[in-house]
Structure formats: structure tokens, C-alpha cells
Amino acid sequence: MFVTRYRRIALQAPLVGFAVGAVGFGFLALTGNPDWRSYLTLADVLRWVLGYGLAGSAFALVSLLGGAAAVAVADRRLRHAPVVRVSWAGVGAGVAVLLGCTLVGIVQADLGWFGGYLLAGVILGIIAGIAAASMVNRAERHALDEPRPKPRVDADIV
């Protein structure tokens, strides 16, 4: 039941991550240094969009694992209210992304940049938490709309 309810999220998460990463590059390009922007060619833009999109997909997969783990720990049998699963999915996704950025900052071994990785982890964790909570909320609403199967009654028992 857990897997069937959230399988759409597992398929959509990398695509949503790619889109968020590509839009993030667009935001940085439009608000960044105009001199740098003037030197960008179409090939440069496509390469950067692909790079940011793939990074967004990687963050989406980390977020997916964190959100799924948090929901599985909090409500594996799906017996609590949907708001519990939505909340835990957002928290788990955000914490997973924050831990991922912190781990990358530790591995980089340059302590001057560790604060930047931590700040990026907080910002990306908030974005991932909001995205995960909204996707799980949509999955929960969709699950409530589906008709429940009727229990099977055998003729011998009745």
C-alpha cells in the first residue's frame, strides 16, 4: 500500500528536481553579473541548464529517499491522518538535503566554504521540504478520491 500510493512521486521527483534546477540557473543568470551574462552562448546556456538540472535531479532523489524514510518510520502502515505523512515527508526531505549538503561540505575539506554549503543546504532543504510536502499532499488527496475495494466474501463463510 505504501509503495502503490507514492509511486507517482517516485517517478515525478527527478523531473521536478530537474525543472527546479533549470529554473534556478535561469534565476541566477537573470539576476547575476550582466558582464558574465553577455558572454554566454546558446551552447553555454544549454550546458549550464543541463548541469543545474542534473544537480536538481540528484537533490530530488536524496529528498525522495529522506521523505520516504521519514514517512515509513512515522506511519508505515498508513494508519494515521494524512497530515502526519505530509508533515513527515516535508521534514524528512528537508533534513536529507541538509545532511547531503553538509556531507559534501565536510568532504570538500576547505573550511572556508563549509558555511556556504551549510547555507545552501538550508535553502535547498526548505525548497525540497515544501516540494515533498506538496507532492505527498496531492498523493494523499488522490488516494482519498479513489474508491476502496470491497472486502471479498466467500460463499462458504456466509
Side-chain angles (χ1 to χ4, degrees):
M1 179 113 170
F2 182 80
V3 174
T4 58
R5 182 174 291 191
Y6 300 122
R7 71 175 174 260
R8 286 185 182 151
I9 294 174
L11 297 174
Q12 293 171 351
L15 300 174
V16 170
F18 188 90
V20 169
V23 168
F25 167 73
F27 177 75
L28 290 176
L30 293 176
T31 61
N33 186 350
D35 294 332
W36 171 75
R37 200 175 339 149
S38 66
Y39 288 109
L40 287 177
T41 64
L42 181 61
D44 291 334
V45 170
L46 292 177
R47 183 175 35 244
W48 282 95
V49 165
L50 181 65
Y52 273 71
L54 290 176
S57 293
F59 279 111
L61 290 174
V62 169
S63 174
L64 177 69
L65 292 174
V71 170
V73 167
D75 190 14
R76 183 183 3 214
R77 304 232 187 261
L78 306 177
R79 291 186 180 152
H80 295 290
V83 70
V84 172
R85 293 185 290 278
V86 170
S87 301
W88 278 103
V91 169
V95 169
V97 170
L98 176 62
L99 289 176
C101 287
T102 304
L103 183 65
V104 169
I106 290 171
V107 169
Q108 288 295 324
D110 187 7
L111 294 178
W113 283 94
F114 181 72
Y117 284 109
L118 199 60
L119 180 63
V122 169
I123 293 169
L124 294 173
I126 290 170
I127 293 169
I130 291 169
S134 64
M135 290 175 80
V136 169
N137 185 35
R138 192 175 57 136
E140 291 295 333
R141 281 188 292 136
H142 183 56
L144 291 175
D145 292 341
E146 290 179 353
R148 295 185 181 194
K150 294 181 181 178
R152 218 177 93 197
V153 178
D154 291 334
D156 296 335
I157 297 175
V158 178

